[in-house]
Amino acid sequence: MQFLSKIYLTILLLWAIGMLIWGLAGFFEYFTGIVPFIGLQNAAYPSGVQFVHWLLISLSGGVFLFGYLSKWKWTPLAMILLFSNLAVLCTIQTFDFMSEQWGYSQYFTEVVMYIVNSLFLLFSPVSKSHFGFNQ
């Protein structure tokens, strides 16, 4: 089980790197209008919602990457805060600005993943050991 937990933590690290790259690329396109590799802006979202979208994605990736590399003990709690904000934003985007590329099954999958990741970061012995959380 510890082996699987280490793999899961590594997957979260790779996810964080992807989120940081995606968020920074989204901000680049948001501020310059230049499409970095594919179009990342969603025309269905107002400008303010789009800004918060890229902010939370960039922060999520950056905070986890920083926390993982520095073994910052508050990483699990910081990520739960960010996951909860992402879930609220996802709810707003899905129910207020539903666009054709996003549906309810993706919404529920995303929210469940935030919950699973939060529980893992809080209760996994591997996570607790890595971050020194609850010790």
Side-chain angles (χ1 to χ4, degrees):
M1 189 63 152
Q2 186 171 1
F3 176 71
L4 292 177
S5 290
K6 287 181 180 181
I7 290 173
Y8 197 82
L9 190 58
T10 302
I11 290 170
L12 286 179
L13 176 62
L14 295 173
W15 165 86
I17 292 167
M19 290 290 278
L20 183 58
I21 292 168
W22 181 37
L24 294 176
F27 263 138
F28 177 78
E29 182 181 350
Y30 178 84
F31 285 117
T32 67
I34 299 168
V35 176
F37 39 90
I38 60 169
L40 298 172
Q41 305 306 310
N42 187 330
Y45 303 159
S47 181
V49 171
Q50 195 71 58
F51 178 84
V52 173
H53 175 86
W54 298 124
L55 178 65
L56 289 175
I57 289 171
S58 299
L59 280 175
S60 295
V63 166
F64 190 84
L65 184 59
F66 167 80
Y68 182 88
L69 295 175
S70 68
K71 297 186 178 186
W72 183 44
K73 77 180 226 173
W74 299 109
T75 302
L77 293 180
M79 290 311 299
I80 291 169
L81 177 67
L82 288 165
F83 288 152
S84 65
N85 280 278
L86 282 165
V88 168
L89 181 64
C90 184
T91 301
I92 291 167
Q93 290 171 332
T94 300
F95 293 99
D96 287 348
F97 306 108
M98 177 75 82
S99 59
E100 60 280 346
Q101 78 266 20
W102 195 250
Y104 296 113
S105 61
Q106 291 91 349
Y107 165 75
F108 288 115
T109 300
E110 187 171 334
V111 171
V112 167
M113 286 308 301
Y114 292 144
I115 293 168
V116 168
N117 292 342
S118 296
L119 292 172
F120 173 81
L121 289 172
L122 279 179
F123 299 113
S124 164
V126 169
S127 174
K128 287 181 181 183
S129 172
H130 182 84
F131 296 111
F133 184 72
N134 270 349
Q135 293 183 6

